[in-house]
Amino acid sequence: MEYKNIIVDFEEGISIITINRPKSLNALNIETLNELECALYQLKVDNRTQVLIITGAGEKAFVAGADITTFPTLTPDGAREFVDLGQRVMDTIESFPVPVIAAVNGYALGGGTELAIACDMIYASDNAFFGLPEVTLGIIPGFGGTQRLQRLIGRHLAKELVFTGEKIDAYKAKEIGLVNNVFPQAELMTRVKEIARMIMKRGPLAIRAAKRSMVFGMDHDLRTANEIEKLCFITLFGTEDQKEGARAFLEKRPPQFKGK
Ligand code: DAK
């Protein structure tokens, strides 16, 4: 499918989705969210992606939020449609079968921060800013931001960001555990691809199982979550990769995983 607002690239197991509306700092409108949903579905069905990277076009913004130009005329029905779509996209990213990395190359505000925190890991360029400025517009975060952020950085810090609407820079974001690491902007994609390739050297079925266990376990109490982990763990013992991983260790050679 041809996209107008996103670019989808594939190189050796790594898929890259670039939000491509640089004139409006990659703001998310309905069309872009629809395209994102469609691309995620296609990548999932295609099944060749081992790591997915999401980034923004240009050097200024990852995503500067939901598209504010659509707000003035939005009715409650329209808002529900928008928020249903946005939350569906974030949930699809969160439960995407392989790791999803946000390469935050500039402003990640409102829906931009919400998109980043739906990903499994976040790497930021040194010019990146994060924040949930929705209250400055008389609204609240609607793509899961009030919920995911407090699970990620704790209630008090999350409430400070949501209630003040203030932006924080990449270094502060790293200090509070929102971001995995900060790189110079020119190096961001290279460094993120290095991390993706490191993940791709590991057992692909183990990576999928680890993600499934961590994402679905997160919503449950510890005992139930450990049961989810147990099921994911046991399943791997019926795979060729598990036998290969153990044999390779004992034979002192690198494993040759096949994803079987
Ligand atoms: N939407 C539309 N256009 C945007 C935009 C946005 N979010 N952010 C920037 N732009 C546009 C600007 O209007 C400008 O367009 P032109 O004037 O050139 O036509 C162009 O991008 C460049 O922006 P600036 O000229 O403002 O650039 P600066 O470097 O001066 O400032 C900035 C960069 C990122 C600090 C600033 O642009 C800014 O504050 N942007 C808005 C950030 C923001 O408040 N984002 C929205 C957060 S609210 C909902 C569900 C979820 C949500 C909403 C509703 N429903 C249930 C309905 C989520 C809401 C949000 O994300």
Side-chain angles (χ1 to χ4, degrees), residues 23-25 27 60 64-69 71 74 78-80 82-83 107 109-112 114 133-134 136-137 139-143 167:
K23 281 189 186 139
S24 45
L25 303 188
K60 202 166 165 184
D67 191 328
I68 299 171
T69 58
F71 287 9
L74 210 55
R80 169 167 289 283
F82 191 55
V83 85
Y107 289 109
L109 301 178
E114 293 177 297
E134 281 85 348
T136 68
L137 299 165
I139 56 172
I140 66 166
F143 295 163
K167 303 189 238 318

PDB file of all heavy atoms in Angstrom, residues 23-25 27 60 64-69 71 74 78-80 82-83 107 109-112 114 133-134 136-137 139-143 167, ligand 1:
ATOM      1  N   LYS A  23       6.370  19.463   7.827  1.00  0.00           N
ATOM      2  CA  LYS A  23       5.880  20.856   7.853  1.00  0.00           C
ATOM      3  C   LYS A  23       5.029  21.121   9.089  1.00  0.00           C
ATOM      4  O   LYS A  23       4.949  22.256   9.569  1.00  0.00           O
ATOM      5  CB  LYS A  23       5.085  21.168   6.581  1.00  0.00           C
ATOM      6  CG  LYS A  23       6.011  21.440   5.412  1.00  0.00           C
ATOM      7  CD  LYS A  23       5.261  21.971   4.211  1.00  0.00           C
ATOM      8  CE  LYS A  23       6.226  22.068   3.032  1.00  0.00           C
ATOM      9  NZ  LYS A  23       5.611  21.641   1.781  1.00  0.00           N
ATOM     10  N   SER A  24       4.338  20.098   9.595  1.00  0.00           N
ATOM     11  CA  SER A  24       3.594  20.287  10.846  1.00  0.00           C
ATOM     12  C   SER A  24       4.250  19.486  11.970  1.00  0.00           C
ATOM     13  O   SER A  24       3.585  19.000  12.877  1.00  0.00           O
ATOM     14  CB  SER A  24       2.118  19.946  10.669  1.00  0.00           C
ATOM     15  OG  SER A  24       1.974  18.753   9.952  1.00  0.00           O
ATOM     16  N   LEU A  25       5.570  19.393  11.883  1.00  0.00           N
ATOM     17  CA  LEU A  25       6.378  18.702  12.900  1.00  0.00           C
ATOM     18  C   LEU A  25       5.836  17.292  13.197  1.00  0.00           C
ATOM     19  O   LEU A  25       5.797  16.847  14.332  1.00  0.00           O
ATOM     20  CB  LEU A  25       6.494  19.544  14.183  1.00  0.00           C
ATOM     21  CG  LEU A  25       7.077  20.965  14.008  1.00  0.00           C
ATOM     22  CD1 LEU A  25       7.312  21.618  15.363  1.00  0.00           C
ATOM     23  CD2 LEU A  25       8.373  20.953  13.210  1.00  0.00           C
ATOM     24  N   ALA A  27       2.930  16.047  13.215  1.00  0.00           N
ATOM     25  CA  ALA A  27       1.735  15.920  14.063  1.00  0.00           C
ATOM     26  C   ALA A  27       0.843  14.800  13.542  1.00  0.00           C
ATOM     27  O   ALA A  27       0.744  14.555  12.335  1.00  0.00           O
ATOM     28  CB  ALA A  27       0.971  17.241  14.081  1.00  0.00           C
ATOM     29  N   LYS A  60      13.870  18.191  13.463  1.00  0.00           N
ATOM     30  CA  LYS A  60      13.293  18.997  14.530  1.00  0.00           C
ATOM     31  C   LYS A  60      12.334  18.225  15.427  1.00  0.00           C
ATOM     32  O   LYS A  60      12.259  18.501  16.626  1.00  0.00           O
ATOM     33  CB  LYS A  60      12.541  20.161  13.863  1.00  0.00           C
ATOM     34  CG  LYS A  60      12.342  21.323  14.771  1.00  0.00           C
ATOM     35  CD  LYS A  60      11.918  22.550  14.005  1.00  0.00           C
ATOM     36  CE  LYS A  60      11.386  23.572  14.973  1.00  0.00           C
ATOM     37  NZ  LYS A  60      10.866  24.757  14.310  1.00  0.00           N
ATOM     38  N   ALA A  64       5.147  16.167  17.134  1.00  0.00           N
ATOM     39  CA  ALA A  64       4.793  17.293  18.022  1.00  0.00           C
ATOM     40  C   ALA A  64       3.352  17.182  18.499  1.00  0.00           C
ATOM     41  O   ALA A  64       2.685  18.194  18.709  1.00  0.00           O
ATOM     42  CB  ALA A  64       5.035  18.619  17.313  1.00  0.00           C
ATOM     43  N   GLY A  65       2.855  15.964  18.631  1.00  0.00           N
ATOM     44  CA  GLY A  65       1.528  15.773  19.221  1.00  0.00           C
ATOM     45  C   GLY A  65       0.466  15.431  18.203  1.00  0.00           C
ATOM     46  O   GLY A  65       0.746  15.245  17.020  1.00  0.00           O
ATOM     47  N   ALA A  66      -0.756  15.364  18.719  1.00  0.00           N
ATOM     48  CA  ALA A  66      -1.892  15.211  17.808  1.00  0.00           C
ATOM     49  C   ALA A  66      -2.001  16.509  17.003  1.00  0.00           C
ATOM     50  O   ALA A  66      -1.547  17.563  17.457  1.00  0.00           O
ATOM     51  CB  ALA A  66      -3.151  14.960  18.614  1.00  0.00           C
ATOM     52  N   ASP A  67      -2.611  16.412  15.816  1.00  0.00           N
ATOM     53  CA  ASP A  67      -2.701  17.583  14.939  1.00  0.00           C
ATOM     54  C   ASP A  67      -3.727  18.581  15.485  1.00  0.00           C
ATOM     55  O   ASP A  67      -4.933  18.337  15.426  1.00  0.00           O
ATOM     56  CB  ASP A  67      -3.078  17.128  13.522  1.00  0.00           C
ATOM     57  CG  ASP A  67      -2.915  18.253  12.520  1.00  0.00           C
ATOM     58  OD1 ASP A  67      -3.122  19.429  12.899  1.00  0.00           O
ATOM     59  OD2 ASP A  67      -2.577  17.959  11.368  1.00  0.00           O
ATOM     60  N   ILE A  68      -3.214  19.697  16.002  1.00  0.00           N
ATOM     61  CA  ILE A  68      -4.072  20.669  16.690  1.00  0.00           C
ATOM     62  C   ILE A  68      -5.036  21.363  15.718  1.00  0.00           C
ATOM     63  O   ILE A  68      -6.093  21.836  16.121  1.00  0.00           O
ATOM     64  CB  ILE A  68      -3.203  21.712  17.439  1.00  0.00           C
ATOM     65  CG1 ILE A  68      -2.345  21.002  18.495  1.00  0.00           C
ATOM     66  CG2 ILE A  68      -4.058  22.788  18.112  1.00  0.00           C
ATOM     67  CD1 ILE A  68      -1.285  21.880  19.146  1.00  0.00           C
ATOM     68  N   THR A  69      -4.703  21.377  14.419  1.00  0.00           N
ATOM     69  CA  THR A  69      -5.580  22.073  13.464  1.00  0.00           C
ATOM     70  C   THR A  69      -6.962  21.428  13.388  1.00  0.00           C
ATOM     71  O   THR A  69      -7.929  22.058  12.965  1.00  0.00           O
ATOM     72  CB  THR A  69      -4.972  22.098  12.037  1.00  0.00           C
ATOM     73  OG1 THR A  69      -4.740  20.748  11.615  1.00  0.00           O
ATOM     74  CG2 THR A  69      -3.666  22.869  11.990  1.00  0.00           C
ATOM     75  N   PHE A  71      -8.542  20.255  16.047  1.00  0.00           N
ATOM     76  CA  PHE A  71      -9.216  20.337  17.349  1.00  0.00           C
ATOM     77  C   PHE A  71     -10.419  21.289  17.400  1.00  0.00           C
ATOM     78  O   PHE A  71     -11.436  20.957  18.016  1.00  0.00           O
ATOM     79  CB  PHE A  71      -8.239  20.741  18.455  1.00  0.00           C
ATOM     80  CG  PHE A  71      -7.271  19.647  18.868  1.00  0.00           C
ATOM     81  CD1 PHE A  71      -7.164  18.459  18.150  1.00  0.00           C
ATOM     82  CD2 PHE A  71      -6.458  19.811  19.978  1.00  0.00           C
ATOM     83  CE1 PHE A  71      -6.267  17.474  18.522  1.00  0.00           C
ATOM     84  CE2 PHE A  71      -5.565  18.822  20.363  1.00  0.00           C
ATOM     85  CZ  PHE A  71      -5.468  17.655  19.630  1.00  0.00           C
ATOM     86  N   LEU A  74     -13.718  19.725  16.495  1.00  0.00           N
ATOM     87  CA  LEU A  74     -13.945  18.333  16.902  1.00  0.00           C
ATOM     88  C   LEU A  74     -15.119  18.238  17.893  1.00  0.00           C
ATOM     89  O   LEU A  74     -15.153  18.934  18.906  1.00  0.00           O
ATOM     90  CB  LEU A  74     -12.664  17.792  17.555  1.00  0.00           C
ATOM     91  CG  LEU A  74     -12.363  16.304  17.438  1.00  0.00           C
ATOM     92  CD1 LEU A  74     -12.343  15.821  15.989  1.00  0.00           C
ATOM     93  CD2 LEU A  74     -11.018  15.996  18.090  1.00  0.00           C
ATOM     94  N   GLY A  78     -16.580  12.919  17.345  1.00  0.00           N
ATOM     95  CA  GLY A  78     -15.337  12.934  16.568  1.00  0.00           C
ATOM     96  C   GLY A  78     -14.151  12.642  17.479  1.00  0.00           C
ATOM     97  O   GLY A  78     -13.213  11.932  17.099  1.00  0.00           O
ATOM     98  N   ALA A  79     -14.189  13.208  18.696  1.00  0.00           N
ATOM     99  CA  ALA A  79     -13.100  12.999  19.665  1.00  0.00           C
ATOM    100  C   ALA A  79     -13.020  11.519  20.048  1.00  0.00           C
ATOM    101  O   ALA A  79     -11.941  10.952  20.169  1.00  0.00           O
ATOM    102  CB  ALA A  79     -13.313  13.853  20.907  1.00  0.00           C
ATOM    103  N   ARG A  80     -14.188  10.886  20.189  1.00  0.00           N
ATOM    104  CA  ARG A  80     -14.186   9.447  20.546  1.00  0.00           C
ATOM    105  C   ARG A  80     -13.551   8.620  19.426  1.00  0.00           C
ATOM    106  O   ARG A  80     -12.722   7.745  19.667  1.00  0.00           O
ATOM    107  CB  ARG A  80     -15.616   8.963  20.825  1.00  0.00           C
ATOM    108  CG  ARG A  80     -15.719   7.440  20.941  1.00  0.00           C
ATOM    109  CD  ARG A  80     -17.031   6.980  21.513  1.00  0.00           C
ATOM    110  NE  ARG A  80     -17.139   7.277  22.930  1.00  0.00           N
ATOM    111  CZ  ARG A  80     -16.528   6.580  23.908  1.00  0.00           C
ATOM    112  NH1 ARG A  80     -15.756   5.568  23.595  1.00  0.00           N
ATOM    113  NH2 ARG A  80     -16.692   6.902  25.165  1.00  0.00           N
ATOM    114  N   PHE A  82     -11.411   9.627  17.228  1.00  0.00           N
ATOM    115  CA  PHE A  82      -9.986   9.946  17.183  1.00  0.00           C
ATOM    116  C   PHE A  82      -9.233   9.196  18.288  1.00  0.00           C
ATOM    117  O   PHE A  82      -8.193   8.589  18.067  1.00  0.00           O
ATOM    118  CB  PHE A  82      -9.840  11.464  17.350  1.00  0.00           C
ATOM    119  CG  PHE A  82      -8.466  11.995  17.071  1.00  0.00           C
ATOM    120  CD1 PHE A  82      -7.835  11.735  15.868  1.00  0.00           C
ATOM    121  CD2 PHE A  82      -7.815  12.783  18.001  1.00  0.00           C
ATOM    122  CE1 PHE A  82      -6.578  12.249  15.596  1.00  0.00           C
ATOM    123  CE2 PHE A  82      -6.551  13.296  17.747  1.00  0.00           C
ATOM    124  CZ  PHE A  82      -5.930  13.022  16.548  1.00  0.00           C
ATOM    125  N   VAL A  83      -9.802   9.241  19.493  1.00  0.00           N
ATOM    126  CA  VAL A  83      -9.126   8.639  20.637  1.00  0.00           C
ATOM    127  C   VAL A  83      -9.161   7.109  20.542  1.00  0.00           C
ATOM    128  O   VAL A  83      -8.194   6.432  20.894  1.00  0.00           O
ATOM    129  CB  VAL A  83      -9.705   9.183  21.963  1.00  0.00           C
ATOM    130  CG1 VAL A  83     -10.937   8.448  22.413  1.00  0.00           C
ATOM    131  CG2 VAL A  83      -8.671   9.187  23.053  1.00  0.00           C
ATOM    132  N   TYR A 107      11.310  17.055  19.054  1.00  0.00           N
ATOM    133  CA  TYR A 107      10.144  17.194  19.925  1.00  0.00           C
ATOM    134  C   TYR A 107       9.274  15.933  19.923  1.00  0.00           C
ATOM    135  O   TYR A 107       8.899  15.440  18.852  1.00  0.00           O
ATOM    136  CB  TYR A 107       9.269  18.361  19.470  1.00  0.00           C
ATOM    137  CG  TYR A 107       9.883  19.717  19.732  1.00  0.00           C
ATOM    138  CD1 TYR A 107      10.351  20.512  18.686  1.00  0.00           C
ATOM    139  CD2 TYR A 107       9.971  20.204  21.032  1.00  0.00           C
ATOM    140  CE1 TYR A 107      10.906  21.754  18.926  1.00  0.00           C
ATOM    141  CE2 TYR A 107      10.535  21.460  21.283  1.00  0.00           C
ATOM    142  CZ  TYR A 107      11.002  22.220  20.224  1.00  0.00           C
ATOM    143  OH  TYR A 107      11.550  23.448  20.472  1.00  0.00           O
ATOM    144  N   LEU A 109       5.999  15.615  21.813  1.00  0.00           N
ATOM    145  CA  LEU A 109       5.059  16.269  22.737  1.00  0.00           C
ATOM    146  C   LEU A 109       3.676  15.637  22.611  1.00  0.00           C
ATOM    147  O   LEU A 109       3.290  15.178  21.529  1.00  0.00           O
ATOM    148  CB  LEU A 109       4.986  17.767  22.428  1.00  0.00           C
ATOM    149  CG  LEU A 109       6.325  18.509  22.545  1.00  0.00           C
ATOM    150  CD1 LEU A 109       6.165  19.975  22.167  1.00  0.00           C
ATOM    151  CD2 LEU A 109       6.914  18.377  23.944  1.00  0.00           C
ATOM    152  N   GLY A 110       2.916  15.652  23.689  1.00  0.00           N
ATOM    153  CA  GLY A 110       1.561  15.106  23.652  1.00  0.00           C
ATOM    154  C   GLY A 110       1.553  13.705  23.054  1.00  0.00           C
ATOM    155  O   GLY A 110       2.227  12.804  23.556  1.00  0.00           O
ATOM    156  N   GLY A 111       0.810  13.554  21.944  1.00  0.00           N
ATOM    157  CA  GLY A 111       0.745  12.258  21.271  1.00  0.00           C
ATOM    158  C   GLY A 111       2.118  11.720  20.885  1.00  0.00           C
ATOM    159  O   GLY A 111       2.275  10.512  20.698  1.00  0.00           O
ATOM    160  N   GLY A 112       3.120  12.591  20.788  1.00  0.00           N
ATOM    161  CA  GLY A 112       4.490  12.155  20.470  1.00  0.00           C
ATOM    162  C   GLY A 112       5.113  11.417  21.645  1.00  0.00           C
ATOM    163  O   GLY A 112       5.730  10.354  21.480  1.00  0.00           O
ATOM    164  N   GLU A 114       3.297  10.049  23.938  1.00  0.00           N
ATOM    165  CA  GLU A 114       2.449   8.850  24.098  1.00  0.00           C
ATOM    166  C   GLU A 114       2.860   7.744  23.117  1.00  0.00           C
ATOM    167  O   GLU A 114       2.867   6.570  23.460  1.00  0.00           O
ATOM    168  CB  GLU A 114       0.974   9.238  23.908  1.00  0.00           C
ATOM    169  CG  GLU A 114       0.488  10.137  25.035  1.00  0.00           C
ATOM    170  CD  GLU A 114      -0.949  10.597  24.834  1.00  0.00           C
ATOM    171  OE1 GLU A 114      -1.194  11.307  23.842  1.00  0.00           O
ATOM    172  OE2 GLU A 114      -1.807  10.247  25.653  1.00  0.00           O
ATOM    173  N   PRO A 133       1.701  18.462  26.986  1.00  0.00           N
ATOM    174  CA  PRO A 133       1.167  19.814  27.145  1.00  0.00           C
ATOM    175  C   PRO A 133      -0.345  19.924  26.938  1.00  0.00           C
ATOM    176  O   PRO A 133      -0.868  21.032  26.778  1.00  0.00           O
ATOM    177  CB  PRO A 133       1.913  20.600  26.048  1.00  0.00           C
ATOM    178  CG  PRO A 133       2.166  19.597  24.987  1.00  0.00           C
ATOM    179  CD  PRO A 133       2.297  18.250  25.649  1.00  0.00           C
ATOM    180  N   GLU A 134      -1.048  18.791  26.963  1.00  0.00           N
ATOM    181  CA  GLU A 134      -2.487  18.810  26.662  1.00  0.00           C
ATOM    182  C   GLU A 134      -3.265  19.814  27.511  1.00  0.00           C
ATOM    183  O   GLU A 134      -4.162  20.507  27.018  1.00  0.00           O
ATOM    184  CB  GLU A 134      -3.088  17.398  26.833  1.00  0.00           C
ATOM    185  CG  GLU A 134      -2.816  16.464  25.672  1.00  0.00           C
ATOM    186  CD  GLU A 134      -1.473  15.754  25.756  1.00  0.00           C
ATOM    187  OE1 GLU A 134      -0.629  16.134  26.598  1.00  0.00           O
ATOM    188  OE2 GLU A 134      -1.262  14.818  24.970  1.00  0.00           O
ATOM    189  N   THR A 136      -2.505  22.590  28.541  1.00  0.00           N
ATOM    190  CA  THR A 136      -2.364  23.969  28.035  1.00  0.00           C
ATOM    191  C   THR A 136      -3.378  24.238  26.919  1.00  0.00           C
ATOM    192  O   THR A 136      -3.615  25.382  26.547  1.00  0.00           O
ATOM    193  CB  THR A 136      -0.933  24.256  27.503  1.00  0.00           C
ATOM    194  OG1 THR A 136      -0.727  23.482  26.309  1.00  0.00           O
ATOM    195  CG2 THR A 136       0.137  23.918  28.521  1.00  0.00           C
ATOM    196  N   LEU A 137      -3.951  23.158  26.369  1.00  0.00           N
ATOM    197  CA  LEU A 137      -4.961  23.280  25.307  1.00  0.00           C
ATOM    198  C   LEU A 137      -6.366  23.013  25.860  1.00  0.00           C
ATOM    199  O   LEU A 137      -7.334  22.919  25.103  1.00  0.00           O
ATOM    200  CB  LEU A 137      -4.670  22.278  24.187  1.00  0.00           C
ATOM    201  CG  LEU A 137      -3.322  22.418  23.464  1.00  0.00           C
ATOM    202  CD1 LEU A 137      -3.012  21.158  22.659  1.00  0.00           C
ATOM    203  CD2 LEU A 137      -3.331  23.634  22.546  1.00  0.00           C
ATOM    204  N   ILE A 139      -7.310  20.224  27.340  1.00  0.00           N
ATOM    205  CA  ILE A 139      -7.681  18.799  27.241  1.00  0.00           C
ATOM    206  C   ILE A 139      -6.701  17.968  28.081  1.00  0.00           C
ATOM    207  O   ILE A 139      -5.812  18.534  28.732  1.00  0.00           O
ATOM    208  CB  ILE A 139      -7.703  18.302  25.770  1.00  0.00           C
ATOM    209  CG1 ILE A 139      -6.351  18.545  25.086  1.00  0.00           C
ATOM    210  CG2 ILE A 139      -8.825  18.956  25.000  1.00  0.00           C
ATOM    211  CD1 ILE A 139      -6.244  17.918  23.705  1.00  0.00           C
ATOM    212  N   ILE A 140      -6.864  16.657  28.044  1.00  0.00           N
ATOM    213  CA  ILE A 140      -5.903  15.779  28.726  1.00  0.00           C
ATOM    214  C   ILE A 140      -5.333  14.802  27.704  1.00  0.00           C
ATOM    215  O   ILE A 140      -5.891  14.644  26.616  1.00  0.00           O
ATOM    216  CB  ILE A 140      -6.560  14.997  29.900  1.00  0.00           C
ATOM    217  CG1 ILE A 140      -7.617  13.986  29.397  1.00  0.00           C
ATOM    218  CG2 ILE A 140      -7.175  15.959  30.922  1.00  0.00           C
ATOM    219  CD1 ILE A 140      -8.042  12.974  30.443  1.00  0.00           C
ATOM    220  N   PRO A 141      -4.221  14.129  28.039  1.00  0.00           N
ATOM    221  CA  PRO A 141      -3.696  13.121  27.104  1.00  0.00           C
ATOM    222  C   PRO A 141      -4.759  12.060  26.836  1.00  0.00           C
ATOM    223  O   PRO A 141      -5.468  11.646  27.765  1.00  0.00           O
ATOM    224  CB  PRO A 141      -2.503  12.521  27.866  1.00  0.00           C
ATOM    225  CG  PRO A 141      -2.106  13.574  28.853  1.00  0.00           C
ATOM    226  CD  PRO A 141      -3.386  14.249  29.256  1.00  0.00           C
ATOM    227  N   GLY A 142      -4.870  11.631  25.581  1.00  0.00           N
ATOM    228  CA  GLY A 142      -5.941  10.694  25.226  1.00  0.00           C
ATOM    229  C   GLY A 142      -5.470   9.420  24.564  1.00  0.00           C
ATOM    230  O   GLY A 142      -6.267   8.553  24.242  1.00  0.00           O
ATOM    231  N   PHE A 143      -4.153   9.313  24.340  1.00  0.00           N
ATOM    232  CA  PHE A 143      -3.633   8.093  23.695  1.00  0.00           C
ATOM    233  C   PHE A 143      -2.913   7.217  24.727  1.00  0.00           C
ATOM    234  O   PHE A 143      -1.876   6.625  24.451  1.00  0.00           O
ATOM    235  CB  PHE A 143      -2.664   8.443  22.560  1.00  0.00           C
ATOM    236  CG  PHE A 143      -3.271   9.179  21.387  1.00  0.00           C
ATOM    237  CD1 PHE A 143      -2.451   9.857  20.488  1.00  0.00           C
ATOM    238  CD2 PHE A 143      -4.643   9.183  21.162  1.00  0.00           C
ATOM    239  CE1 PHE A 143      -2.982  10.527  19.393  1.00  0.00           C
ATOM    240  CE2 PHE A 143      -5.188   9.854  20.075  1.00  0.00           C
ATOM    241  CZ  PHE A 143      -4.354  10.536  19.190  1.00  0.00           C
ATOM    242  N   LYS A 167       7.713  20.918  29.368  1.00  0.00           N
ATOM    243  CA  LYS A 167       8.571  20.019  28.587  1.00  0.00           C
ATOM    244  C   LYS A 167       9.824  19.687  29.407  1.00  0.00           C
ATOM    245  O   LYS A 167      10.277  20.508  30.197  1.00  0.00           O
ATOM    246  CB  LYS A 167       9.071  20.713  27.311  1.00  0.00           C
ATOM    247  CG  LYS A 167       8.005  21.244  26.397  1.00  0.00           C
ATOM    248  CD  LYS A 167       8.647  21.694  25.089  1.00  0.00           C
ATOM    249  CE  LYS A 167       8.433  23.148  24.715  1.00  0.00           C
ATOM    250  NZ  LYS A 167       7.163  23.745  24.903  1.00  0.00           N
TER     251      LYS A 167
HETATM  252  N1  DAK B   1      -0.386  20.178  15.287  1.00  0.00           N
HETATM  253  C1  DAK B   1      -0.429  20.851  14.123  1.00  0.00           C
HETATM  254  N2  DAK B   1       0.574  21.651  13.700  1.00  0.00           N
HETATM  255  C2  DAK B   1       1.650  21.749  14.489  1.00  0.00           C
HETATM  256  C3  DAK B   1       1.767  21.065  15.727  1.00  0.00           C
HETATM  257  C4  DAK B   1       0.672  20.220  16.125  1.00  0.00           C
HETATM  258  N3  DAK B   1       0.691  19.511  17.238  1.00  0.00           N
HETATM  259  N4  DAK B   1       2.970  21.390  16.277  1.00  0.00           N
HETATM  260  C5  DAK B   1       3.569  22.222  15.419  1.00  0.00           C
HETATM  261  N5  DAK B   1       2.793  22.446  14.351  1.00  0.00           N
HETATM  262  C6  DAK B   1       3.065  23.291  13.190  1.00  0.00           C
HETATM  263  C7  DAK B   1       3.058  24.775  13.589  1.00  0.00           C
HETATM  264  O1  DAK B   1       1.739  25.257  13.607  1.00  0.00           O
HETATM  265  C8  DAK B   1       3.889  25.361  12.481  1.00  0.00           C
HETATM  266  O2  DAK B   1       3.102  25.441  11.309  1.00  0.00           O
HETATM  267  P1  DAK B   1       3.201  26.734  10.337  1.00  0.00           P
HETATM  268  O3  DAK B   1       2.884  27.909  11.210  1.00  0.00           O
HETATM  269  O4  DAK B   1       4.630  26.732   9.850  1.00  0.00           O
HETATM  270  O5  DAK B   1       2.183  26.457   9.277  1.00  0.00           O
HETATM  271  C9  DAK B   1       4.957  24.300  12.228  1.00  0.00           C
HETATM  272  O6  DAK B   1       4.411  23.086  12.755  1.00  0.00           O
HETATM  273  C10 DAK B   1       6.257  24.586  12.959  1.00  0.00           C
HETATM  274  O7  DAK B   1       5.975  24.807  14.325  1.00  0.00           O
HETATM  275  P2  DAK B   1       6.443  26.098  15.124  1.00  0.00           P
HETATM  276  O8  DAK B   1       6.598  27.253  14.201  1.00  0.00           O
HETATM  277  O9  DAK B   1       5.555  26.265  16.296  1.00  0.00           O
HETATM  278  O10 DAK B   1       7.907  25.637  15.575  1.00  0.00           O
HETATM  279  P3  DAK B   1       8.694  26.120  16.873  1.00  0.00           P
HETATM  280  O11 DAK B   1      10.088  25.625  16.700  1.00  0.00           O
HETATM  281  O12 DAK B   1       8.503  27.588  17.114  1.00  0.00           O
HETATM  282  O13 DAK B   1       8.025  25.345  18.092  1.00  0.00           O
HETATM  283  C11 DAK B   1       7.049  23.407  19.193  1.00  0.00           C
HETATM  284  C12 DAK B   1       8.063  23.934  18.145  1.00  0.00           C
HETATM  285  C13 DAK B   1       6.999  21.896  19.073  1.00  0.00           C
HETATM  286  C14 DAK B   1       7.512  23.803  20.605  1.00  0.00           C
HETATM  287  C15 DAK B   1       5.670  24.057  18.906  1.00  0.00           C
HETATM  288  O14 DAK B   1       5.357  23.844  17.534  1.00  0.00           O
HETATM  289  C16 DAK B   1       4.568  23.495  19.742  1.00  0.00           C
HETATM  290  O15 DAK B   1       4.432  23.833  20.924  1.00  0.00           O
HETATM  291  N6  DAK B   1       3.746  22.655  19.123  1.00  0.00           N
HETATM  292  C17 DAK B   1       2.554  22.131  19.736  1.00  0.00           C
HETATM  293  C18 DAK B   1       2.890  21.080  20.755  1.00  0.00           C
HETATM  294  C19 DAK B   1       1.621  20.589  21.336  1.00  0.00           C
HETATM  295  O16 DAK B   1       0.967  21.255  22.130  1.00  0.00           O
HETATM  296  N7  DAK B   1       1.229  19.428  20.829  1.00  0.00           N
HETATM  297  C20 DAK B   1      -0.107  18.893  21.053  1.00  0.00           C
HETATM  298  C21 DAK B   1      -0.162  18.222  22.340  1.00  0.00           C
HETATM  299  S1  DAK B   1      -1.809  17.746  22.603  1.00  0.00           S
HETATM  300  C22 DAK B   1      -7.523  13.420  21.538  1.00  0.00           C
HETATM  301  C23 DAK B   1      -6.637  12.444  21.825  1.00  0.00           C
HETATM  302  C24 DAK B   1      -5.323  12.745  21.994  1.00  0.00           C
HETATM  303  C25 DAK B   1      -4.876  14.015  21.900  1.00  0.00           C
HETATM  304  C26 DAK B   1      -5.800  14.989  21.602  1.00  0.00           C
HETATM  305  C27 DAK B   1      -7.070  14.699  21.420  1.00  0.00           C
HETATM  306  N8  DAK B   1      -8.893  13.135  21.360  1.00  0.00           N
HETATM  307  C28 DAK B   1      -9.556  12.232  22.197  1.00  0.00           C
HETATM  308  C29 DAK B   1      -9.640  13.995  20.528  1.00  0.00           C
HETATM  309  C30 DAK B   1      -3.525  14.388  22.060  1.00  0.00           C
HETATM  310  C31 DAK B   1      -3.248  15.688  22.095  1.00  0.00           C
HETATM  311  C32 DAK B   1      -1.934  16.210  21.977  1.00  0.00           C
HETATM  312  O17 DAK B   1      -1.023  15.594  21.478  1.00  0.00           O
END
